[in-house]
Amino acid sequence: MEDFYDSDIGAQTADILVLPSSFLKTLWKELTEGLGLIKGQEAFFRCGETVGESLAANYSGDTGQIDALLNRAWAEAGLGLLFVLEATPERVVCKVESLLEVNVIGISEPCNFTSGCIAGVLKGIMQHPYSVEEDSVGEDVRIFIFKPV
């Protein structure tokens, strides 16, 4: 009888690291306490942006269907349910429900990591940075408006 042990378990197969959701809260707390609220939130956004750019690596160069590419890359993030409401070269509007960030950091805080992650995916696909505006429309629902800068 053959051994059922899979020798590939634990082998690195991608540039993705799975962490518990509490890691986001710890990172946010350390950044905002260490750098101050404003600088900490900016750094948290950049952390999300870096993750988003990594997620978009498989889709760069293909700018045809921004909404479809964004949804595919976002599915790997596991940060919430993404709905692309508008996708034009001038702006991308997304609604995100069941936001992990709201659940671990709190409803009163902006979702800097999530908005950074989406901006990073867009940056990775479209090859230029995006600014973002966030609006809270429910306990764990946010609307994000992205514009190229």
Side-chain angles (χ1 to χ4, degrees):
M1 188 154 128
E2 290 190 33
D3 187 357
F4 287 101
Y5 179 73
D6 184 350
S7 60
D8 291 337
I9 293 176
Q12 182 176 354
T13 58
D15 292 333
I16 301 295
L17 174 64
V18 178
L19 297 167
S21 60
S22 61
F23 174 78
L24 274 183
K25 184 169 188 161
T26 301
L27 180 60
W28 177 80
K29 184 178 176 188
E30 292 296 323
L31 289 171
T32 56
E33 288 178 2
L35 300 174
L37 185 61
I38 301 301
K39 293 286 186 194
Q41 288 177 342
E42 291 170 356
F44 203 44
F45 177 89
R46 287 191 308 276
C47 289
E49 188 176 41
T50 300
V51 169
E53 287 180 72
S54 294
L55 292 172
N58 295 329
Y59 309 101
S60 64
D62 181 1
T63 60
Q65 295 284 335
I66 298 171
D67 54 346
L69 295 170
L70 183 58
N71 273 308
R72 273 200 243 135
W74 181 255
E76 299 176 36
L79 296 172
L81 303 172
L82 177 78
F83 301 92
V84 179
L85 305 178
E86 179 183 337
T88 67
E90 294 80 32
R91 71 186 217 155
V92 177
V93 180
C94 300
K95 178 171 82 168
V96 184
E97 298 179 353
S98 302
L99 269 159
L100 176 67
E101 190 170 349
V102 168
N103 293 324
V104 296
I105 294 173
I107 192 170
S108 63
E109 300 297 333
C111 293
N112 299 109
F113 188 88
T114 300
S115 62
C117 189
I118 299 169
V121 170
L122 288 168
K123 182 179 179 182
I125 292 170
M126 303 304 291
Q127 300 300 301
H128 53 78
Y130 281 78
S131 66
V132 62
E133 294 177 24
E134 176 181 338
D135 187 25
S136 176
V137 294
E139 285 192 18
D140 64 348
V141 178
R142 297 288 193 277
I143 300 287
F144 299 104
I145 301 169
F146 299 91
K147 295 180 182 175
V149 289

